């Protein structure tokens, strides 16, 4: 019954403006709500547990780290940046220097805060701020974070995320006082390879920090975030749609997101100060993310709570949200420890914090020469089409190198888990749905003793050895 309702909604969605179609959509939406309720769902907000979850914060250790420290926070007026600042003020910091390209309204709520309206791309102004305040700790949270917008504003997103991060790193390196640098990344960077602009920029930044960390006096670290409920574009759009009372548009059924809250994100950043390692850029993620939330269930919950007769409409997946989840992303040798924010290679070297609620790991290394080639190639682009093409080419070059260095036994497992015939059939998927990563994984095993172990997968993958 549910599948039939989904099918009918897909057919009717383009004509939601027609009165008869609208009523049919309301009918099928009501049917799906009843099905979900019969399954014991929609009684509570699906994001409620993520809103309340709390990580441990080792305050005594952090107080030693932060006492008398001058902290600089880029993007400090954003959701995560402002949450971080509130937490920093709980410690005996000397000063918090906030830079954001958005104009600050009002008066800082604490006399330890210094605010500058400054874009991280403004090399001269950024350098002046670093020189004037001599920060000890830098938290880089500024970014263009909207995946859909990143596909439309490709050049701007690449410039802000990649070269803005590079500019902050260089400013820190040129300032003798800086001892630690913490970066905000995304769980999307755990993908082996991605053709989505936002995820690709963040993945490129992770390589920048890891390469920089190897020969630096500064300890670099980062936190990978997932869907932050306090700043959720999806949840906000769903709530607004319900309030307007017309219809609620979602991409498609079967789309899931993991979630966390802003305070949890700021705690990850603070813990990053304690779990950084000189010579490697460690990343931190929440260990117990719980089961992912379906966007459809969230939409149905808001409709159900409103008591309005509002239909669901399927719009299809827009650019920036089209990549299909690759099952080989996760380490199925330990099903009880599955986590969407860490891939198989990274999972092999994972360790836990003292409270065992945070996972700490590293990315697979790339060389400085390959990274510099990718960045130079990206700088040479003049049109948005060239920017995206060069971003993907550069990332592909980096990932090809990292796969050659990765444990081949892991690569064999990744291909076997990701291209399992039964799973592909159940999901109505093919290897081509996962893009360029499949041939890249095969190529990394060519001319090795491990290649025969994956040859049986070649036919279904449509990959031909060259």
């Amino acid at each position: 019954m549910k599948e039939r309702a989904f099918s009918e909604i897909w057919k009717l969605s383009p004509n939601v403006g027609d009165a008869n179609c609208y009523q049919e959509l309301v009918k099928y939406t009501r049917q799906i709500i009843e099905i979900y309720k019969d399954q014991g769902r929609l009684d509570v907000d699906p994001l409620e547990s993520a809103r309340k979850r709390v990580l441990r914060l080792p305050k005594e250790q952090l107080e030693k780290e932060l006492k008398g420290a001058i902290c600089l926070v880029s993007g400090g007026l954003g959701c995560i940046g402002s949450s971080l600042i509130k937490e920093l003020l709980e410690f005996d910091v000397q000063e918090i220097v906030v830079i954001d390209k958005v104009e600050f309204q009002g008066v800082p709520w604490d006399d330890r805060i210094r605010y500058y309206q400054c874009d991280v791309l403004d090399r001269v102004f950024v350098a002046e701020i670093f020189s004037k305040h001599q920060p000890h700790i830098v938290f880089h949270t500024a970014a263009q974070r909207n995946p859909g917008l990143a596909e439309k504003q490709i050049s701007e997103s690449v410039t802000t995320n990649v070269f803005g991060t590079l500019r902050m790193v260089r400013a820190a390196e040129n300032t003798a006082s800086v001892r630690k640098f913490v970066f905000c990344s995304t769980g999307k960077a755990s993908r082996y390879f991605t053709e989505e602009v936002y995820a690709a920029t963040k993945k490129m930044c992770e390589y920048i920090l890891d390469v920089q960390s190897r020969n630096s006096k500064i300890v670099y670290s980062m936190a990978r975030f997932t869907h932050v409920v306090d700043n959720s574009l999806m949840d906000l759009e769903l709530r607004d749609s319900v309030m307007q009372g017309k219809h609620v548009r979602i991409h498609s059924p079967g789309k899931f997101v993991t979630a966390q809250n802003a305070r949890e994100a700021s705690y990850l950043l603070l813990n990053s100060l304690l779990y950084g390692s000189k010579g490697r850029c460690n990343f931190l993620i929440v260990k117990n993310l719980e089961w992912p939330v379906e966007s459809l269930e969230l939409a149905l919950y808001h409709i159900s709570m409103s008591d309005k007769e509002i239909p669901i409409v399927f719009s299809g997946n827009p650019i920036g949200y089209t990549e299909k989840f690759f099952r080989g992303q996760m380490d199925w040798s330990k099903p009880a420890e599955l986590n969407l924010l860490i891939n198989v290679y990274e999972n092999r070297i994972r360790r836990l914090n003292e409270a065992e609620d945070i996972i700490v790991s590293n990315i697979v290394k790339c060389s400085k020469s390959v990274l510099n080639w990718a960045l130079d190639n990206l700088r040479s682009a003049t049109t948005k089409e060239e920017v995206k093409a060069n971003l993907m080419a550069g990332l592909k070059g980096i990932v090809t190198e990292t796969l050659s260095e990765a444990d081949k036994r892991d690569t064999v497992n990744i291909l076997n888990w990701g291209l399992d015939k039964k799973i592909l059939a159940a999901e109505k998927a093919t290897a081509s749905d996962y893009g360029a990563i499949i041939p890249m994984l095969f190529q990394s095993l060519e001319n090795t003793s491990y290649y025969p172990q994956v040859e049986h997968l070649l036919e279904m993958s449509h990959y031909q050895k060259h």
Side-chain angles (χ1 to χ4, degrees):
M1 183 177 179
K2 184 170 71 171
E3 292 302 321
R4 181 175 182 276
F6 286 164
S7 178
E8 291 301 318
I9 291 176
W10 275 116
K11 292 177 185 176
L12 294 165
S13 290
N15 300 312
V16 64
D18 178 84
N20 292 329
C21 287
Y22 187 92
Q23 290 306 316
E24 286 292 294
L25 285 164
V26 168
K27 180 183 75 174
Y28 287 116
T29 299
R30 194 182 305 119
Q31 286 181 9
I32 298 174
I33 288 176
E34 291 307 314
I35 292 170
Y36 274 58
K37 284 186 174 180
D38 288 343
Q39 295 173 346
R41 301 155 81 178
L42 307 187
D43 291 333
V44 296
D45 183 346
L47 293 175
E48 186 64 20
S49 61
R51 295 184 198 281
K52 294 181 177 179
R53 191 172 54 230
V54 179
L55 294 176
R56 178 178 177 273
L57 195 66
K59 292 187 177 180
E60 288 186 13
Q61 291 173 266
L62 281 168
E63 186 61 58
K64 294 177 183 177
E65 184 73 40
L66 292 167
K67 185 176 179 62
I70 298 172
C71 301
L72 186 147
V73 182
S74 71
L77 296 186
C79 175
I80 293 173
S82 58
S83 176
L84 172 64
I85 290 168
K86 290 178 183 177
E87 299 301 331
L88 286 172
L89 289 171
E90 295 297 313
F91 296 91
D92 189 20
V93 296
Q94 177 181 333
E95 189 176 56
I96 301 174
V97 181
V98 181
I99 65 175
D100 200 300
K101 66 179 181 180
V102 175
E103 183 180 0
F104 178 72
Q105 302 291 330
V107 179
W109 64 91
D110 191 287
D111 59 11
R112 289 174 289 174
I113 297 175
R114 303 290 181 268
Y115 174 77
Y116 293 93
Q117 185 177 3
C118 171
D119 193 315
V120 293
L121 295 169
D122 188 334
R123 180 180 58 81
V124 174
F125 197 7
V126 167
E128 286 178 358
I129 294 169
F130 271 78
S131 177
K132 178 180 179 180
H133 291 277
Q134 294 291 305
H136 303 111
I137 299 169
V138 176
F139 294 95
H140 181 39
T141 78
Q144 197 296 91
R145 68 181 183 88
N146 187 323
L149 185 62
E151 299 293 336
K152 297 174 183 176
Q153 298 180 358
I154 297 171
S155 299
E156 296 88 340
S157 298
V158 169
T159 300
T160 296
N161 292 0
V162 177
F163 294 113
T165 297
L166 196 58
R167 189 142 290 167
M168 289 293 292
V169 166
R170 287 178 174 170
E173 289 290 339
N174 290 331
T175 306
S177 60
V178 178
R179 59 176 184 256
K180 295 199 174 181
F181 187 111
V182 183
F183 173 67
C184 290
S185 189
T186 173
K188 293 177 183 290
S190 68
R191 299 173 188 175
Y192 305 116
F193 179 72
T194 176
E195 295 181 88
E196 292 180 352
V197 172
Y198 170 71
T201 61
K202 287 293 190 175
K203 193 166 182 66
M204 189 73 78
C205 288
E206 290 199 355
Y207 288 121
I208 289 172
L209 266 69
D210 192 56
V211 168
Q212 188 65 48
S213 70
R214 290 176 215 160
N215 295 292
S216 176
K217 61 181 176 59
I218 299 171
V219 175
Y220 287 89
S221 57
M222 52 196 173
R224 280 183 183 169
F225 302 139
T226 184
H227 197 84
V228 178
V229 292
D230 312 68
N231 198 26
S232 169
L233 296 173
M234 175 185 71
D235 193 41
L236 180 61
E237 289 172 359
L238 293 177
R239 289 174 183 270
D240 286 347
S241 296
V242 170
M243 287 183 63
Q244 292 171 14
K246 296 179 181 179
H247 60 265
V248 177
R249 190 179 298 276
I250 68 168
H251 297 163
S252 62
K255 296 285 286 187
F256 293 84
V257 296
T258 50
Q260 65 184 112
N261 60 72
R263 187 180 186 188
E264 195 174 36
S266 65
Y267 276 25
L268 270 183
L269 292 171
L270 290 171
N271 272 284
S272 295
L273 294 175
L274 303 177
Y275 289 92
S277 299
K278 197 165 186 178
R280 283 309 305 269
C281 184
N282 295 340
F283 69 79
L284 278 67
I285 60 174
V286 174
K287 178 177 179 286
N288 303 309
L289 282 173
E290 305 171 32
W291 196 253
V293 172
E294 185 186 27
S295 58
L296 173 61
E297 181 175 353
L298 186 60
L300 295 175
Y301 169 78
H302 287 314
I303 293 173
S304 178
M305 290 296 101
S306 74
D307 290 324
K308 296 178 181 179
E309 293 290 313
I310 306 172
I312 288 288
V313 171
F314 297 151
S315 63
N317 299 324
I319 56 173
Y321 300 90
T322 56
E323 287 187 348
K324 191 174 182 65
F325 172 69
F326 178 47
R327 191 170 181 269
Q329 176 76 22
M330 297 195 295
D331 190 342
W332 293 90
S333 66
K334 299 178 180 178
E337 298 179 0
L338 293 176
N339 190 302
L340 287 167
L341 308 189
I342 185 170
N343 66 44
V344 174
Y345 302 118
E346 299 161 348
N347 196 56
R348 286 289 189 264
I349 55 173
R350 61 184 268 174
R351 54 267 194 210
L352 300 179
N353 66 332
E354 187 177 336
E356 299 189 350
D357 57 1
I358 293 174
I359 294 172
V360 184
S361 189
N362 311 115
I363 64 174
V364 181
K365 288 183 178 181
C366 80
S367 66
K368 184 176 182 179
S369 60
V370 171
L371 174 64
N372 286 341
W373 164 80
L375 292 173
D376 288 342
N377 197 34
L378 195 52
R379 289 188 189 93
S380 70
T382 56
T383 67
K384 69 176 184 178
E385 291 79 14
E386 286 181 339
V387 170
K388 183 167 185 177
N390 289 7
L391 174 65
M392 299 311 157
L395 189 58
K396 190 171 184 179
I398 292 172
V399 174
T400 297
E401 183 191 51
T402 64
L403 289 177
S404 70
E405 299 297 323
D407 192 319
K408 301 295 187 291
R409 293 169 296 181
D410 286 337
T411 305
V412 169
N413 285 331
I414 289 165
L415 284 167
N416 278 302
W417 290 327
L419 299 180
D420 182 282
K421 287 183 179 180
K422 292 181 181 179
I423 300 296
L424 289 176
E427 295 183 352
K428 299 178 182 179
T430 65
S432 61
D433 291 328
Y434 307 120
I437 188 56
I438 302 302
M440 291 168 71
L441 288 165
F442 275 119
Q443 286 168 6
S444 72
L445 296 177
E446 287 182 0
N447 303 315
T448 74
S449 60
Y450 295 94
Y451 194 75
Q453 298 180 43
V454 297
E455 280 189 301
H456 67 287
L457 301 171
L458 289 176
E459 183 178 346
M460 76 175 72
S461 71
H462 304 295
Y463 165 69
Q464 298 296 319
K465 181 177 177 180
H466 299 291

